[in-house]
Amino acid sequence: MNVLVINAGSSSLKYQLLDTTTHEVKAKGNCERIGINDSFIGHEERGQKSKMDVELPNHRVAVQYVFEILKGAGFDINSIEGIGHRVVQGGWYFSKSEVVTDDTLQKVREVAPLAPLHNYAEADVIEICRDLFPSIGNVIVPDTAFHFNMPEKASRYALPRDVVDKYHIRKYGAHGTSHRYIWYLTHKLMGEKTHKLISCHIGSGASLCAIQDGKSMDTTMGLTPLDGLIMGTRTGTIDPATVFYLYRVGGYSIDEIDTMMNKQSGLRALSDISSDSRDIEQAASEGNEHCQMTLKMFYYRIAQLIAEMAQSMHGFDTIVFTAGIGENSELTRAEVAKELAWLGIKIDVEKNKVRSDEPRIISTDDSAATVLVVPTNEELMIAMDVEDLLGK
């Protein structure tokens, strides 16, 4: 089945055209700076990359360009059998992917205050696709859906019940589509050897998830993606009273604190040089003490959260590293394993050095749990959901 996967942001739109039978990515690209000056589209097909400087005043124009680019590249638009939309926040409505109807679209907008920079744009793009191409079915794939049915002891916050109920406050998590794909592929590879898996999606945004027999038992992101692990520019878990202190004593506004904790903190703030772990690793190797401490904190926190996720399953048999840092940083994987050595986790040095697009085991034969590197593929997971819902 030919599926177009769309991931819309407030000023961007990424797309991939996939074949769910062969898993081939026929074309992909990104529309950047939508509604901003100097907008452009980057496109790739058959190994060839191109860039077009075009005016993208809104998402509607961006969607039209995507279809025109695909058509110009020789792809039969009529052969696209479904469109899958990544939706960041499914809120209190969506426990699974669903075919788009007027009702589902309204719900995507209703829960948008939980992810205002994403959901509104995503809803707009869904509406645009339905309007421009009414014969093509659309499917929403919420990132939060995988965590929807996690145990209440893990998802509930200790706030007054009337407040929680009125404002739908709970741990929603994120990266659910990635974590679900990691379970799917790892279980396909490991079979009955894997029942209790800890998925470590570590990139600029990062979260861990405890997955027991395919079900999310707990995850590190909370009401929003600010919670959990230290990230590129996000604080991760922090005493909530810090907000009150900065407001009352520091004189910062709520918006300023929001910006600080989401865009000016994390690895960038700790290292004082960059939010990119590659830059930090390089500087640390050259003796930069701030960067050395940044990495120590990062590895410690990942290991600490692995132990936290393990508690939700009363143990674990598999750890998977994925996403930008998880897949590519040999040092991160090695140092996290050292932090977990007391639990019997051991990584094979040579296996850990291998760079590959294929899933691979990097632990030693006598490690207490199997450790793998599994490249994530959220787009394929979305396309598979489209096939499941529309292909029949």
Side-chain angles (χ1 to χ4, degrees):
M1 183 177 188
N2 289 315
V3 176
L4 180 64
V5 175
I6 292 179
N7 181 357
S10 58
S11 61
S12 66
L13 187 148
K14 298 178 182 178
Y15 61 92
Q16 278 196 19
L17 181 61
L18 298 99
D19 184 324
T20 58
T21 302
T22 64
H23 294 183
E24 176 191 2
V25 178
K26 296 183 175 181
K28 63 181 179 179
N30 56 300
C31 305
E32 297 290 344
R33 300 180 62 81
I34 298 172
I36 307 173
N37 292 334
D38 302 320
S39 55
F40 65 91
I41 300 175
H43 180 76
E44 181 179 348
E45 61 180 277
R46 305 180 184 94
Q48 300 297 313
K49 295 182 179 181
S50 61
K51 179 185 176 183
M52 294 171 286
D53 294 317
V54 295
E55 288 190 20
L56 298 173
N58 52 54
H59 285 82
R60 187 181 187 88
V61 172
V63 171
Q64 289 175 319
Y65 262 114
V66 168
F67 278 86
E68 285 301 314
I69 289 169
L70 293 174
K71 185 177 178 181
F75 296 107
D76 181 4
I77 299 304
N78 294 320
S79 72
I80 296 176
E81 301 165 87
I83 304 175
H85 299 266
R86 178 190 180 228
V87 172
V88 167
Q89 179 56 260
W92 52 95
Y93 285 122
F94 300 106
S95 62
K96 62 184 185 305
S97 301
E98 292 193 16
V99 175
V100 173
T101 63
D102 291 344
D103 180 60
T104 56
L105 185 56
Q106 184 274 328
K107 288 174 179 175
V108 170
R109 293 192 187 280
E110 186 179 338
V111 303
L114 290 168
L117 293 180
H118 294 89
N119 268 50
Y120 287 119
E122 289 154 0
D124 288 345
V125 168
I126 293 169
E127 195 164 26
I128 290 165
C129 288
R130 296 179 79 200
D131 181 41
L132 293 176
F133 309 98
S135 64
I136 304 176
N138 291 262
V139 170
I140 62 164
V141 182
D143 251 3
T144 55
F146 185 56
H147 308 299
F148 188 90
N149 290 314
M150 77 169 72
E152 187 178 7
K153 66 180 181 180
S155 66
R156 176 171 281 276
Y157 287 133
L159 289 167
R161 286 186 177 273
D162 59 334
V163 174
V164 167
D165 293 343
K166 181 177 180 180
Y167 297 104
H168 305 284
I169 298 173
R170 56 159 284 176
K171 178 184 282 191
Y172 287 104
H175 296 140
T177 307
S178 175
H179 291 306
R180 183 159 57 98
Y181 179 78
I182 293 306
W183 169 263
Y184 160 78
L185 202 58
T186 303
H187 198 257
K188 188 176 180 180
L189 178 69
M190 300 295 292
E192 291 304 308
K193 293 180 181 178
T194 293
H195 290 284
K196 298 179 179 181
L197 182 152
I198 298 174
S199 174
C200 305
H201 179 110
I202 305 173
S204 179
S207 69
L208 281 66
C209 182
I211 309 173
Q212 185 167 345
D213 292 326
K215 297 180 180 179
S216 174
M217 303 302 289
D218 200 354
T219 190
T220 56
M221 285 182 168
L223 176 74
T224 75
L226 184 60
D227 200 10
L229 184 63
I230 298 166
M231 294 170 244
T233 61
R234 298 176 191 149
T235 60
T237 299
I238 192 169
D239 182 347
T242 306
V243 175
F244 316 142
Y245 182 80
L246 288 172
Y247 176 74
R248 292 169 180 157
V249 179
Y252 293 92
S253 69
I254 293 299
D255 286 343
E256 287 172 332
I257 298 170
D258 190 345
T259 298
M260 181 194 302
M261 291 188 171
N262 276 288
K263 299 181 179 180
Q264 300 168 352
S265 299
L267 298 179
R268 174 181 288 173
L270 290 170
S271 68
D272 207 26
I273 66 163
S274 176
S275 62
D276 192 314
S277 66
R278 293 168 294 189
D279 297 335
I280 298 169
E281 287 180 9
Q282 179 63 37
S285 70
E286 295 169 354
N288 184 306
E289 294 183 357
H290 289 317
C291 290
Q292 290 170 350
M293 180 52 66
T294 298
L295 293 179
K296 287 180 181 179
M297 290 177 65
F298 191 49
Y299 306 146
Y300 166 72
R301 189 72 180 125
I302 294 171
Q304 186 181 44
L305 289 171
I306 286 174
E308 185 177 312
M309 293 298 99
Q311 175 58 36
S312 70
M313 302 183 291
H314 298 163
F316 63 99
D317 49 47
T318 309
I319 299 174
V320 174
F321 288 97
T322 191
I325 299 172
E327 293 172 29
N328 297 300
S329 176
E330 168 194 339
L331 181 61
T332 296
R333 297 190 298 263
E335 292 300 319
V336 171
K338 286 181 183 177
E339 288 277 356
L340 296 171
W342 66 280
L343 284 173
I345 302 302
K346 300 178 184 178
I347 281 184
D348 183 295
V349 175
E350 294 305 314
K351 289 179 181 177
N352 190 38
K353 290 180 180 179
V354 174
R355 301 291 290 262
S356 172
D357 292 332
E358 298 298 319
R360 59 200 183 277
I361 295 171
I362 61 171
S363 51
T364 61
D365 292 340
D366 62 342
S367 176
T370 305
V371 183
L372 301 94
V373 178
V374 178
T376 192
N377 194 334
E378 294 164 282
E379 290 79 14
L380 178 57
M381 192 80 253
I382 292 170
M384 290 166 63
D385 282 1
V386 173
E387 182 178 46
D388 285 343
L389 289 169
L390 297 181
K392 300 171 184 177

